Amino acid sequence: MSQLTAPPEAAGSVTLSKLSVSIRGKLQFMDYLVRAAVADVERFQDEPDPGTRIFIKQLVEMHTANLRQESQHLQAIGELCDLLDAQVQSPEPGFPAGGPS
């Protein structure tokens, strides 16, 4: 059933599921980037060889650039929050719009 022909609550559930999966993936990737950057900074600080330090510095710069780019794409979290709020704001079946009595 496509989102166009699905009832609104089903379409919202599909959208919610897709957003959730997308956000979890982004957060896992960002977690990896943060861990890698911190580990590489520690390696950089302990490394006596200037050539290796240059290489490690470039790795840290790459990780931070990726983190900055990924953090700009997190508007999906706002969309998820809006969708979650909308899901709990709609009246439950069998109850009047004001909620259960």
Side-chain angles (χ1 to χ4, degrees), residues 13-28:
S13 295
V14 170
T15 304
L16 180 63
S17 178
K18 286 181 181 180
L19 271 174
S20 297
V21 169
S22 173
I23 289 169
R24 281 194 294 270
K26 286 183 183 299
L27 291 175
Q28 287 174 342

Side-chain angles (χ1 to χ4, degrees), residues 7-17 19-20 79-93:
E9 59 275 351
S13 295
V14 170
T15 304
L16 180 63
S17 178
L19 271 174
S20 297
E79 292 174 23
L80 175 67
C81 291
D82 291 343
L83 199 73
L84 291 169
D85 284 339
Q87 293 286 323
V88 298
Q89 295 302 321
S90 61
E92 293 185 38

